[in-house]
Amino acid sequence: MNIRIFDTTLRDGEQSPGVSLSPEKKLNIAKKLDELGIDAIETGFPIISAGEKEGVKLIVAEGLNAELCGLARTSKKDIDAAVDCGLNYIHTFIATSDIHLEYKLKMSRDEALEKAIEAVEYGKSRGLQVEFSAEDATRTDREFLKKVFGEVAKAGADRVDIPDTVGYSTPEYMADITKDTILATKLPVSVHCHNDFGLAVANALSGIHVGAACAHVTINGIGERAGNASLEELSMALQCLPQ
């Protein structure tokens, strides 16, 4: 089974409490990930600080074999910041669950959908590979989630990602919405699973078993709260466990 491994240690992993990586440390980690044969590395979130931009630029300048990606909200300034770092691949996201829309973004479903489409179209206009994430996908109304993914696919997204942002899914539900997403988009689908209920690797495997082409992981499963799907656990599960 040839599954794409997208490592987000340098972005989501750094959101672990107390973790702060200098640009030089980020470069060293990126080089080691590249030596391991990681397919794609999320280099950081360029818009958030000058130091973050510096780290991303150092990684881009190293000429690694892995695809290099930068995180961006559905905002032109975020996407421009990624381009300014020399990246040609962005991971753009907006929340789609009603709880996030009401309490965090203060916007309607239609407004969020419009911003998602605009970001994908703008990223493509800048010549970028675009991966779109529906943040808090596993708590999003299932029909609305299918609509969002279908519309960003029409807008030109190259990939879509299903984030289990607060580790809320079960393996059965992750399988169901992964199948929904594959049917709605006809695009490569990634799964980005958090470990709040100890199910990150199980949920990632469940998505993969029904057709997801990529898993987002971190070294040792580090990340905010209980962390992310572990690179080591997922890789060995794919290698050793019955598929």
Side-chain angles (χ1 to χ4, degrees), residues 143-158:
E143 290 303 313
F144 181 57
L145 185 65
K146 287 191 284 187
K147 180 178 181 180
V148 171
F149 280 139
E151 291 301 318
V152 297
K154 291 176 187 174
D158 299 282

Side-chain angles (χ1 to χ4, degrees), residues 11 43-54 56-57 69-72 77-85 87 90:
R11 198 277 300 171
T43 58
F45 195 172
I47 195 66
I48 64 172
S49 71
E52 189 80 349
K53 275 189 178 180
E54 181 186 351
V56 174
K57 288 179 179 179
C69 179
L71 189 70
K77 66 179 183 179
D78 283 35
I79 296 168
D80 290 340
V83 173
D84 291 344
C85 290
L87 291 165
I90 59 164

Side-chain angles (χ1 to χ4, degrees), residues 157-170:
D158 299 282
R159 299 176 169 275
V160 293
D161 173 52
I162 304 171
D164 187 19
T165 301
V166 294
Y168 191 75
S169 188
T170 62

